[in-house]
Amino acid sequence: MTKTLTILILLFSAFNNGFGQSKYTLSGTIKDSTTGESLIGVSIRPSELSGVGAISNEYGFYSLTLPEGKYTFVVAYPTYVRYVRTVDLRQNISLNVNLSSQIQEIGTVEVSTRKKDENVRQAQMGVEKIDMNEINKIPVIFGEKDIVKTLQLLPGVKSAGDGNSGFYVRGGAADQNLILLDEAPVYNASHLLGFFSTFNSDVIKTATLYKGTQPAQYGGRLASVLDIKMNEGNSKRFGAQGGIGLIASRLTLEGPIKKDKGSFLIAGRRTYADLFLLLTPEERGLRKTKLFFYDLNTKLNYRFGQKDQVFISGYFGRDVLGLDAFGLSWGNATGTVRWNHIINSRLFSNTSMIVSNYQYAIKINGDGFDLSIGSRLQDYNFKQEFQFFPNARNKITFGLNAIHHGVVPGEVIGSEGSGVNNSKLSSRLGLENAVFVSNEWSVNEKFNVLYGLRGTGFTVLGNGEVNYTFDTQGQITDSTAYAKNKVIKNYINVEPRIFLSYIYSKTASIKGGYSRNVQNLHLISNSISTSPTDIWLPTTVNVKPEIADQFTVGWFKNFRENAYEFSSEIYYKSMQNQIDYRNGANTQANELIEGELLYGIGRAYGVELLLKKKIGKLTGWLGYTLSRTEKKIDQINNNEWYLARQDRLHDISVVGIYDINKSFTLSATFVYSTGNAVTFPTGKYTLDDEVIFVYSNRNADRMPAYHRMDVALTYNIKKRKRWESSWNFSIYNLYGQRNPYTISFRESETDPTKTEAVQTTLFRMVPTVTYNFKF
């Protein structure tokens, strides 16, 4: 594979230098002039050439190679002042640019917006770039700005429901989403069972969602990649921002380590619902209840000369729920060290070392005994990525990635008086390696291509304990002890990806694409909703890598001078080695858990429509998804197709943001979706005075449809020197809809011969007030 990468680079170099005219490179970094933050996705284009330009990468670096000559370069970025510079390109030139976000009138300087037709021109499809300004205005539960909740308002992305931590993308299960925070994987990215996400919006710089259409440098999940980058910290001056709400508060501090050379950022957040419980009457027994979460984000960066910069970032978060003798806690911890190096004007290097840890613990305290049940997952990750800019129409990304997975599915620890023998399920170890190469090729003004190849290998490693293999009935067929880290089995897969766009008019394009994705980490859960106590398992001898092939076509059109954007995408995804569970499967603390699993195929297909208004006092979007997700698993439903639990036929979202004036903004959202597929009992019988329910086909029933409206009003207080502040008033579930969280069945208290359904609803109407500030 290394030889292939080298040959490819040489071919592009030969192509670049194969003409008689000399060519030179303009390169550099682009930053915010006020904070020193690097800016991602800035457009740099020569006004003399059409269809030629560069985009700054995730660290603000750009490179543009052109024939010798004199050019006027235009640097443009949303809400920033456009920068114009004339350059006589007769040698390689380094040009660093500082953009101002303040409107000024200096010569030919003018205010710019995002490239108006970017959605039409880019080859990539199934991509959502989140506007952090929109997140600040969209109403959410408890008044907390939430990037994950905002994503769930987009076509093809579905909420798992109130009180659920996951989300579904194009028919994929919750575990089929790769969530990255500064390149570190985050598992169970939620707080308080899904009511808050793991991500503090005050520290987020950019967030991009790929709906199974990610470039080759991403891998490891079937459905999507959510790539989140944290702010770097202000390298110019010290500052702070935060918010105080009824349920949670947050504070972010940032400033220079050395002005214009390095900076720091530290942010904390905590809920305090448990503090209100101290005010309840003692006889209710709630004063000792624990119900809170906290998280901490940190980031340091320092520039060594013009070509080297080092970043150190970390996240730590924990949830604690406790009632009387029962307690549950879970949390993530991540750490990333990155080194950026500009090798030359055309070649950029990023080296990353990453640690990610997720664990949960259940504690039970009784009379004279303590019992603890837990699980943990830890990754050690190394990634080397290069970006090569051979000419103005190509950008090649290539590199390698290696991850060591270590999973302890469960362990039980009891005190001496508990009468419980301490036990630990066999750990699962695996090594996941990948090499990748991709190229963004602007063929001409009308035709763009993004193509790439990812080669993955997963090695199942011994754990120093006995490993079991099972037959199709879940019975043990063999048991072998392997030394720790001894190679047991290798899985090799190749993942091709290609996306094309053809711009047939100034405001419209058609696109198509194909991608293959492979997944080697699997979430074990047989409940209706995801839970912090669900178990992760890597690929083993019994559990094969999951594989998905997705085909996508789309039409993109802008109207009224790009004030309106419309897109329609149709996708079909076939999936191999899908996992489901035997009826009555025991998934908790089960040493033989793999014997409870069944395997088969899946398919998901649908249509996504999005109409977005970007300009004017009233902005927002209307999204609609029509989709179907099905599985065909051996020994389930007579080996016929059945609905996956995340299947929803219809999903509608409406978002409106109205700027009344400079001080007041009114926003509202409305969502509607078909209920999840579930299995309800179809009959019952009595055995030894115990009622036993009988179930028919898997997921043959439906939860009631879900719908809800939220509203918010934001009051922006007039800015005073360096102080900015605002009040946010919001109401979650405005009309008090009783959306079901669970539906259970029981004998009727008045007539035991009858069975009644009992619906549990979490929240009907939740008003909140939050004060936000920044200085």
Side-chain angles (χ1 to χ4, degrees), residues 592-653:
L592 307 179
I593 180 64
E594 295 174 38
E596 303 281 6
L597 308 180
L598 299 172
Y599 309 95
I601 58 177
R603 62 188 180 192
Y605 46 93
V607 179
E608 299 170 3
L609 305 176
L610 177 64
L611 177 62
K612 190 170 188 178
K613 185 177 186 294
K614 304 186 300 178
I615 299 175
K617 284 194 170 185
L618 177 63
T619 58
W621 66 85
L622 169 64
Y624 172 68
T625 304
L626 174 69
S627 62
R628 177 67 77 206
T629 307
E630 299 171 304
K631 288 184 177 182
K632 187 177 182 181
I633 306 289
D634 187 33
Q635 302 180 44
I636 296 179
N637 198 27
N638 297 318
N639 297 334
E640 296 179 354
W641 288 100
Y642 66 95
L643 299 177
R645 70 182 186 184
Q646 65 268 23
D647 175 82
R648 294 179 191 165
L649 187 60
H650 302 287
D651 196 88
I652 301 171
S653 60

Side-chain angles (χ1 to χ4, degrees), residues 145-209:
K145 297 176 290 184
D146 197 308
I147 189 169
V148 174
K149 299 297 184 186
T150 303
L151 283 172
Q152 294 169 6
L153 297 171
L154 297 170
V157 186
K158 303 180 181 182
S159 166
D162 288 342
N164 293 325
S165 59
F167 59 95
Y168 309 129
V169 177
R170 289 189 171 176
D175 68 316
Q176 293 176 355
N177 305 309
L178 176 62
I179 301 176
L180 301 173
L181 180 63
D182 273 1
E183 299 188 57
V186 178
Y187 299 93
N188 200 311
S190 69
H191 288 306
L192 288 184
L193 300 174
F195 292 111
F196 294 82
S197 82
T198 294
F199 309 108
N200 183 343
S201 294
D202 287 347
V203 303
I204 296 176
K205 183 176 188 176
T206 63
T208 305
L209 178 72

